[in-house]
Amino acid sequence: MKKPALFLLASLVAACASTPTVSTDADPQGEFARYRTFRWIQSPQDVSPLLRQRIVEGVNSQLVARGWSESADADVAIAAHVATRQRQDIDTFYNGPAYAGWGWRGPWAVGTVGTSVRTYEVGTLVVDLFDTRTRQAVWRGTAEGTVPSSQERLNEGVQAGIVEMFKQLPAGR
């Protein structure tokens, strides 16, 4: 009975961990009421062309939904970057009688120790917005999450991160 409960708990924790963690930062002096147009100065490098295209389209759709449009003579310039790194989680589980803790063990206190190592990749998407008139950064959004092995789940995670990021873009009116 304990093993199915532990499996369910581990599955729920893993599902929560795969949702991108989003944070944003905005310049309080940013003139968000003035911004209506955007252009790209750097799309993400070192990713597949399809993922780059999906990121650009995702950001564009969020800005267009806010009433912005793409223009060569834009109010805001966009730069996006993607980085990945490997992480490891090491978990040790002790299985034995509760009274055998803190190093005291009698002949009847037998237990086992199991250690598991999990290596996985974490990806971070950073989107920066710059005021083209002042050439100053006005907003940064980051989304970070575990990179799934499925391309479909990766695309869903990237899009979810972009949507959540731009929910936090200051309103212009």
Side-chain angles (χ1 to χ4, degrees):
M1 185 65 181
K2 286 184 180 181
K3 288 188 182 202
L6 286 175
F7 178 75
L8 178 62
L9 178 62
S11 298
L12 288 173
V13 168
C16 291
S18 66
T19 304
T21 302
V22 172
S23 64
T24 61
D25 187 17
D27 179 1
Q29 304 303 316
E31 301 176 38
F32 291 94
R34 184 177 66 76
Y35 305 144
R36 292 289 170 254
T37 56
F38 66 92
R39 68 181 167 95
W40 282 88
I41 57 173
Q42 183 171 347
S43 62
Q45 304 299 307
D46 299 327
V47 296
S48 79
L50 290 173
L51 183 57
R52 179 181 310 118
Q53 184 175 316
R54 288 179 184 119
I55 291 169
V56 168
E57 289 173 357
V59 170
N60 288 356
S61 69
Q62 291 300 307
L63 292 174
V64 167
R66 292 176 154 267
W68 295 27
S69 61
E70 195 164 3
S71 170
D73 185 30
D75 302 319
V76 172
I78 304 169
H81 308 278
V82 172
T84 59
R85 67 183 186 284
Q86 279 196 339
R87 291 199 49 187
Q88 285 187 333
D89 284 343
I90 301 171
D91 296 313
T92 302
F93 301 97
Y94 298 93
N95 184 10
Y99 55 83
W102 300 105
W104 181 83
R105 294 188 186 266
W108 58 88
V110 177
T112 59
V113 176
T115 300
S116 65
V117 178
R118 185 172 73 96
T119 302
Y120 57 97
E121 196 169 18
V122 175
T124 304
L125 169 63
V126 179
V127 178
D128 290 311
L129 303 183
F130 298 90
D131 185 311
T132 56
R133 186 176 51 82
T134 64
R135 296 186 170 268
Q136 297 294 311
V138 292
W139 184 82
R140 171 172 270 196
T142 61
E144 182 175 84
T146 303
V147 177
S149 57
S150 158
Q151 189 64 44
E152 182 179 326
R153 289 189 51 205
L154 173 64
N155 294 337
E156 290 171 0
V158 167
Q159 291 309 312
I162 290 170
V163 167
E164 192 59 36
M165 253 191 249
F166 281 89
K167 280 182 183 177
Q168 299 177 35
L169 183 68
R173 298 174 193 202

